[in-house]
Amino acid sequence: MCAKKRGSIEDLAVVGIDIGKDTFHLVGFDQSGQLVIRKQIKRLALNATFEQLPRCIVGMEACLSAHFVSRTLRGMGFEPRIIPAIYVKPFNKGQKNDYNDAEAIAEAALRPNLRTVSEKDQDQLDLQALHRVRARLVSRRTATINQIRAFLIEQGITVRSGLRALKNSFETILEQRRDEISPRMRGILIGLYGDWLWLDKRIEDVSGEIEEISRTEENCANIMTIPGIGPMISTAMVAAVGKGEAFDRGRDFAAWVGLVPRQFSTGGRTILGRITKRGSRYLRMLFVQAAKVIMMRPHRWSDFSFGLWLTEAVARMPRNKAAIALANKLARTAWSLLRHGTRFDAPKDAAMEAI
């Protein structure tokens, strides 16, 4: 059987890139959908390969290094589109392989109403990296503390819950229970405690750097005028969405964070369930924490413009559900301030603990 005739390279309209660690797979089509290119290249050959191609749309899945590739191609005159993997999946045909993935990406990139991921600049990537490092350190610290507790329980020693309670009583336990704890276990516990203190110092250093950025970044400063929102949420949001241009309204941003009800509607009947939990899990966690901080201080609600709404919401729904509703409102408000460069209308004396 003869091979299918390919289109002319001059008619190239879209290229799909399946990004790998060392190799990229390219599949390109013209406007009629006829195959133009299908090749595998090394990562280092990216610039040389695309310099020989006519300027066109270039699609790629959102993944590691997608933003770097996107910035590189945009600088060369191409129109890169970073596509969430969930929007590429419907275009996959046949079995799973790199060329089929690249073909699906190319077809998805041509959809007129496709929602794409905003391209991050280097400052956003740096800020996002700080948050990821901090999250990893916090996770390691939690694991270390849990291991200390587990080893103490194995020795018949329990400590009340809370990080501070264990830290305040650790040295006392080792001294008073010297006869119950073997020398080897004592050495293990002291080593774990040293790891804990080192992690505390690293977390403090990274958090301090994030806070410094939040004070010098105008968009972060605007978001931090919202009650309950501090350096962590403001910088994480700016790192994730920039100025929020990818969303048409605040509800779209809240949906991306995963703070809207899951919908299953048909035949004119609307059925709403639990929140979708799609999108950024890290941002969703931070917004929910901020909402719970606000709800712990009902005497301050009257200071905020949404105080009356929150009072009525807590009266008519379970507290956790009200916390999610408040987190949704905080997310929508934060997007509005970020998009329009304004500040929240809360009075200055309404400051409270922020995240």
Side-chain angles (χ1 to χ4, degrees), residues 224-278:
M224 285 194 295
T225 59
I226 302 173
I229 292 185
M232 293 302 154
I233 295 181
S234 61
T235 52
M237 186 172 173
V238 169
V241 301
K243 293 186 177 181
E245 305 97 330
F247 308 99
D248 295 330
R249 53 190 183 274
R251 190 189 183 285
D252 293 340
F253 173 68
W256 177 76
V257 176
L259 289 171
V260 298
R262 186 182 301 275
Q263 187 178 52
F264 183 82
S265 303
T266 183
R269 182 186 177 193
T270 300
I271 302 174
L272 300 179
R274 298 184 177 185
I275 59 173
T276 62
K277 294 186 178 180
R278 295 176 64 178

Side-chain angles (χ1 to χ4, degrees), residues 289-310:
Q289 286 181 351
K292 290 184 176 181
V293 167
I294 293 175
M295 294 185 66
M296 290 169 59
R297 297 164 175 80
H299 62 281
R300 307 298 299 274
W301 294 353
S302 59
D303 295 333
F304 313 130
S305 59
F306 54 79
L308 179 60
W309 169 88
L310 180 57

